[in-house]
């Protein structure tokens, strides 16, 4: 079996196809052969009975009221016997009376078989068999019961007719040769056709193998591209192209993530290096300048710490983990959350728009609270002092929706498709002054998708933004690989 599995698929499919074709041809050939054989033998038996019946009927009429065929046996057997047919007359006890063979070229009579003679003397009109033991050639033997009258069941004897099957056997031999030759030709053509058919059918798979190897060598832009195939091979090619596209996008995102992370780390490290260099050159003699440098270094260290924490949060969400889904009443959840998130709003007002009091949230309360903290902190950063931040929930279309809305400057339409990407910031200088690294919204997206939900934003420049989280009402099973759900 192992050696068989190591053979090329094209060879295995062709071999199985040819075996099936040969089996079908052999079965059909055998059925056709035995049908022709049966037809030839039945036709011969019918012809012999048709030739003998008028002679038998005439002889029985001449017999009169006598119930003994002994007197007419000689003439009856001679009248029926011909060049290819020999007749033997038997009495009511199955004893031999006479046979009609007189010439050398006439077929010799077959010795009567007691088993078949007994059946014929019982009145069966269809007794026949093929004798293969008495002579070199096969003989067809059949019996005609003799009755004293047509409407009388009294059997007074029987006639055995035998004729050689030489002509029939020659026809059957030619038939076997034709069938065998036809099977061989069909198998040869089937083998060639099978190689061509399987080669054509497997060419897309070979194309996929070549594409896989090019992708594995690093050319992530390669695709199979079988747009006109809607069968299983076409579906496999489409699935492969989709997988390759996702892999390419993942690698591109990873490269962007690495580049952005390096950039974010380089900025504070450069600032720290510059401050340390100034200190080393003697600014320590100026206490005020030294204090400013130390405070700046402290801010950069805090920024590095926040960036490290956010990177760790990202890695935790993308690594295998089990979500601890719990049922929480949103009214109570927001009551606790608002008291904890109040310091994030600082000099902005924080308002809760309560939805249905019976709404149940199926989520991991800790990670979901982290997502809301990030959205609230993001709203506070973009809402001017004295502005308002609104939070609330509702039930829509079989899901629970939770939103955070601000009265900030809004998001430009060109930036909206990218705001959930790691390290993306529409206004980098302003975001850097606020201390952001561009990971907060990416964390929110990962947290929401790990719960099987979606997050989207509606924004209008100059009026603010509204972030909405939609989670399924029923708890989803935790994913073992911790990968985010597909959008």
């Amino acid at each position: 079996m192992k050696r068989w599995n190591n053979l090329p698929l094209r060879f295995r499919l062709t071999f199985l196809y040819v075996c099936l074709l040969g089996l079908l041809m052999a079965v059909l050939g055998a059925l056709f052969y035995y049908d022709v054989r049966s037809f030839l033998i039945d036709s011969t038996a019918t012809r012999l009975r048709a030739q003998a019946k008028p002679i038998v009927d005439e002889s029985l009429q001449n017999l009169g009221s006598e119930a003994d065929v002994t007197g007419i046996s000689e003439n009856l057997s001679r009248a029926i016997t011909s060049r290819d047919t020999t007749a033997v007359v038997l009495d009511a006890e199955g004893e031999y009376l006479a046979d009609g063979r007189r010439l050398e070229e006439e077929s010799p009579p077959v010795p009567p078989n007691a088993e078949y003679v007994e059946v014929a003397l019982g009145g069966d009109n269809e007794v026949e068999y093929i004798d293969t033991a008495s002579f070199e050639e096969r003989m067809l033997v059949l019996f005609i019961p003799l009755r004293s009258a047509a409407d009388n069941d009294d059997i007074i004897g029987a006639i055995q007719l035998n004729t050689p099957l030489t002509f029939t056997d020659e026809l059957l031999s030619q038939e076997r040769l034709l069938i065998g030759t036809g099977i061989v030709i069909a198998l040869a053509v089937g083998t060639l056709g099978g190689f061509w058919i399987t080669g054509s059918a497997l060419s897309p798979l070979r194309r996929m193998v070549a594409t896989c190897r090019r992708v594995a060598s690093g050319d992530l832009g390669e695709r199979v591209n079988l747009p006109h195939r809607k069968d299983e091979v076409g579906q496999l090619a489409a699935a492969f192209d989709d997988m390759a596209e996702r892999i390419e996008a993942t690698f591109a995102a990873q490269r962007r993530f690495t580049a952005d992370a390096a950039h974010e780390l380089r900025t504070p490290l450069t600032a720290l290096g510059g401050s340390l260099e100034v200190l080393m050159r003697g600014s320590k003699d100026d206490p005020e300048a030294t204090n400013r440098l130390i405070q700046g270094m402290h801010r950069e260290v805090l920024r590095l710490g926040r960036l490290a924490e956010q990177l760790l949060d990202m890695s935790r969400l993308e690594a295998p983990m089990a979500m601890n889904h719990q049922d929480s009443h949103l009214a109570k959840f927001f009551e606790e959350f608002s008291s904890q998130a109040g310091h994030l709003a600082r000099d902005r007002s924080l308002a809760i728009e309560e939805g249905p009091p019976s709404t149940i949230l199926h989520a991991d309360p800790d990670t979901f609270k982290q997502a809301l903290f990030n959205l609230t902190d993001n709203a506070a950063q973009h809402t001017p002092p004295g502005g308002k931040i609104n939070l609330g929930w509702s039930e829509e279309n079989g899901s629970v929706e939770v939103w955070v809305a601000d009265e900030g400057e809004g998001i430009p339409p060109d930036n909206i498709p990218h705001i959930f990407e790691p390290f993306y910031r529409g206004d980098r200088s302003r975001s850097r002054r606020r201390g952001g690294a561009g990971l907060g919204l990416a964390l929110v997206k990962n947290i929401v998708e790990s719960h099987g939900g979606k997050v989207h934003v509606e924004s209008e420049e100059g009026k603010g933004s509204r972030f909405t989280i939609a989670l399924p009402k029923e708890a989803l099973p935790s994913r073992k690989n911790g990968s985010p759900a597909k959008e």
Side-chain angles (χ1 to χ4, degrees), residues 220-298:
L220 299 179
E222 282 291 326
R223 300 292 184 269
V224 180
N225 291 326
L226 292 177
H228 302 297
R229 294 290 294 263
K230 301 300 181 183
D231 56 4
E232 289 80 358
V233 175
Q235 295 174 13
L236 178 60
F240 174 83
D241 286 345
D242 182 61
M243 179 190 68
E245 186 174 350
R246 289 175 179 269
I247 291 175
E248 184 180 18
T250 300
F251 273 89
Q254 185 179 24
R255 286 192 293 269
R256 287 197 305 269
F257 181 87
T258 303
D260 290 340
H263 176 76
E264 293 295 332
L265 290 171
R266 184 175 57 186
T267 301
L269 288 175
T270 301
L272 285 172
S275 299
L276 287 172
E277 185 177 351
V278 172
L279 286 175
M280 292 172 64
R281 287 178 178 177
S283 64
K284 59 184 178 179
D285 296 333
D286 185 351
E288 186 177 350
T290 301
N291 185 53
R292 286 198 304 271
L293 289 172
I294 292 175
Q295 289 180 358
M297 293 170 63
H298 182 257

Side-chain angles (χ1 to χ4, degrees), residues 36-287:
V36 172
R37 175 179 179 276
S38 176
F39 172 76
L40 292 175
I41 293 176
D42 290 345
S43 298
T44 302
T46 301
R47 176 178 60 83
L48 293 180
R49 286 192 174 93
Q51 292 175 352
K53 187 174 183 345
I55 301 174
V56 171
D57 290 344
E58 182 179 356
S59 299
L60 291 177
Q61 287 178 359
N62 295 333
L63 186 62
S65 60
E66 298 180 13
D68 189 2
V69 295
T70 304
I72 65 170
S73 61
E74 189 77 21
N75 293 332
L76 180 59
S77 62
R78 287 183 181 180
I80 298 176
T81 300
S82 63
R83 187 179 184 86
D84 63 347
T85 305
T86 300
V88 175
V89 180
L90 306 174
D91 63 13
E93 302 299 327
E95 296 296 331
Y96 172 86
L97 294 179
D99 67 78
R101 184 173 185 257
R102 292 296 180 268
L103 301 176
E104 185 68 24
E105 60 268 19
E106 294 176 345
S107 299
V110 174
N113 187 304
E115 180 182 353
Y116 292 100
V117 169
E118 182 179 358
V119 176
L121 292 176
D124 192 340
N125 294 316
E126 302 294 331
V127 179
E128 60 186 60
Y129 69 96
I130 295 177
D131 181 87
T132 58
S134 302
F135 306 100
E136 292 183 358
E137 56 184 356
R138 299 194 309 158
M139 290 284 186
L140 174 64
V141 182
L142 58 89
F143 292 89
I144 300 177
L146 298 177
R147 293 176 171 83
S148 57
D151 56 351
N152 194 339
D153 292 335
D154 185 21
I155 306 299
I156 61 175
I159 297 178
Q160 173 185 292
L161 303 176
N162 64 266
T163 184
L165 293 175
T166 306
F167 179 72
T168 300
D169 287 342
E170 289 177 356
L171 289 179
L172 292 177
S173 177
Q174 293 179 5
E175 195 69 29
R176 288 194 297 271
L177 179 61
L178 288 175
I179 292 174
T181 304
I183 291 176
V184 172
I185 294 175
L187 291 179
V189 174
T191 301
L192 296 177
F195 267 104
W196 180 79
I197 292 173
T198 54
S200 300
L202 295 177
S203 60
L205 296 181
R206 291 195 295 271
R207 183 172 171 180
M208 289 181 62
V209 171
T211 304
C212 286
R213 288 173 177 167
R214 289 194 293 270
V215 171
S217 65
D219 189 359
L220 299 179
E222 282 291 326
R223 300 292 184 269
V224 180
N225 291 326
L226 292 177
H228 302 297
R229 294 290 294 263
K230 301 300 181 183
D231 56 4
E232 289 80 358
V233 175
Q235 295 174 13
L236 178 60
F240 174 83
D241 286 345
D242 182 61
M243 179 190 68
E245 186 174 350
R246 289 175 179 269
I247 291 175
E248 184 180 18
T250 300
F251 273 89
Q254 185 179 24
R255 286 192 293 269
R256 287 197 305 269
F257 181 87
T258 303
D260 290 340
H263 176 76
E264 293 295 332
L265 290 171
R266 184 175 57 186
T267 301
L269 288 175
T270 301
L272 285 172
S275 299
L276 287 172
E277 185 177 351
V278 172
L279 286 175
M280 292 172 64
R281 287 178 178 177
S283 64
K284 59 184 178 179
D285 296 333
D286 185 351

Side-chain angles (χ1 to χ4, degrees), residues 365-434:
D366 294 332
T367 56
F368 186 71
K369 187 178 295 184
Q370 181 182 356
L372 286 183
F373 273 132
N374 287 355
L375 289 179
T376 304
D377 183 58
N378 181 75
Q381 291 180 20
H382 293 279
T383 301
K388 186 178 181 181
I389 300 174
N390 293 327
L391 293 85
W393 74 88
S394 64
E395 295 186 28
E396 299 289 342
N397 301 323
S399 64
V400 176
E401 292 189 354
V402 178
W403 67 83
V404 177
D406 62 57
E407 296 179 347
E409 69 275 9
I411 305 172
D414 293 340
N415 293 347
I416 290 179
H418 307 286
I419 60 174
F420 293 106
E421 296 177 4
F423 297 109
Y424 181 83
R425 292 176 300 197
D427 187 339
R428 290 184 175 270
S429 61
R430 184 168 56 186
S431 297
R432 186 171 288 115
R433 287 196 304 269
R434 289 170 174 164

